[in-house]
Amino acid sequence: MVLKIYGHPLSTPSKLVAAICYEKEVPFEFITLDLLKGESRNPEHMARNPWGKVPVIDDDGFILYESRAIARYIADKYAAKGPQLIPSDIHKRALLEQAISSEAFTWDRAMLPILLEAVYKKYQGLESDPAKVEELTKTLCESLDVYEKILAKQKYIAGDELTIADFYFLPAGSGIQSVGINVLQERPNVARWFNETSSRSSWQKASAISA
């Protein structure tokens, strides 16, 4: 049975899951749920994910939600295919966990409020506050200055090898750039790393998925 991804083309977490599948050469079927019509909250999907969100995978009856958990599952299950995205060395694995925590609690936490203000408000028929976006962007820049120092010493976010952590940074980062906030490109090491990772064919293919 081909792995099924329930998601939406505009959902960057859905793109993350698809990108990992492409990276690991795992065939999948992408099933679009119309989020604006509330299809992610219909009874059938709520049975897959009680939070009523996407993405969710169905891997021959094994149901899993939360994009980061799904990405790790796929990278673990298909470790022998494609690049080794989860290192076996204990020190490299610890650095991976460090980077993953940083993405969730620093990178994503700084970017999500900007996306809520600049993007998601519009979907709710509300006006975004440019002054608030500017203030939130200043806070983000403080975090990016730290990432600039980290990436001055290593090629990727968890060291000198590509890992799933690098992909975890793509959804929010791509979202920020899509609304014309180009602060990632203002820092040479952050720009080098982010542009290289986001240019990988796996992310490009995932980004090209349409409804």
Side-chain angles (χ1 to χ4, degrees):
M1 178 180 176
V2 175
L3 182 144
K4 296 179 180 178
I5 301 175
Y6 294 89
H8 191 279
L10 296 180
S11 161
T12 48
S14 298
K15 292 178 184 178
L16 167 63
V17 172
I20 296 299
C21 285
Y22 282 126
E23 196 74 35
K24 300 299 288 183
E25 303 170 9
V26 177
F28 66 89
E29 177 186 2
F30 193 94
I31 301 171
T32 297
L33 299 180
D34 192 327
L35 303 183
L36 295 180
K37 291 182 179 179
E39 289 184 358
S40 66
R41 303 196 69 82
N42 65 35
E44 184 179 3
H45 189 69
M46 292 291 284
R48 301 185 197 100
N49 182 351
W51 301 104
K53 297 181 179 181
V54 295
V56 177
I57 63 164
D58 180 345
D59 186 16
D60 198 17
F62 176 67
I63 307 298
L64 188 65
Y65 54 85
E66 294 295 341
S67 59
R68 296 176 183 86
I70 296 170
R72 183 189 288 268
Y73 167 76
I74 294 169
D76 265 332
K77 180 173 180 178
Y78 299 97
K81 300 183 70 174
Q84 189 72 30
L85 298 179
I86 300 178
S88 56
D89 176 84
I90 188 170
H91 293 157
K92 291 180 180 180
R93 186 75 171 248
L95 291 172
L96 169 63
E97 298 298 340
Q98 175 180 266
I100 287 173
S101 294
S102 175
E103 182 275 327
F105 298 109
T106 302
W107 177 273
D108 202 55
R109 190 165 288 181
M111 291 193 177
L112 186 57
I114 300 174
L115 293 172
L116 289 172
E117 187 65 36
V119 181
Y120 301 130
K121 267 192 172 183
K122 295 177 181 179
Y123 287 112
Q124 298 172 333
L126 304 173
E127 290 290 329
S128 63
D129 182 348
K132 187 172 183 181
V133 171
E134 183 178 356
E135 187 62 32
L136 290 168
T137 301
K138 289 180 181 178
T139 300
L140 168 62
C141 286
E142 293 175 2
S143 296
L144 292 179
D145 288 340
V146 178
Y147 283 113
E148 178 67 12
K149 294 176 182 177
I150 292 170
L151 288 161
K153 301 176 181 178
Q154 57 198 49
K155 186 175 181 180
Y156 296 106
I157 202 65
D160 288 323
E161 298 172 5
L162 182 74
T163 66
I164 55 169
D166 296 289
F167 290 90
Y168 285 6
F169 282 76
L170 291 177
S174 296
I176 288 292
Q177 294 199 143
S178 72
V179 295
I181 298 175
N182 297 315
V183 289
L184 299 183
Q185 302 303 319
E186 295 171 0
R187 292 156 178 82
N189 292 300
V190 170
R192 168 194 54 76
W193 157 74
F194 191 83
N195 292 344
E196 179 182 335
T197 307
S198 61
S199 294
R200 292 184 72 84
S201 62
S202 58
W203 180 255
Q204 293 298 311
K205 288 178 183 177
S207 297
I209 293 174
S210 59

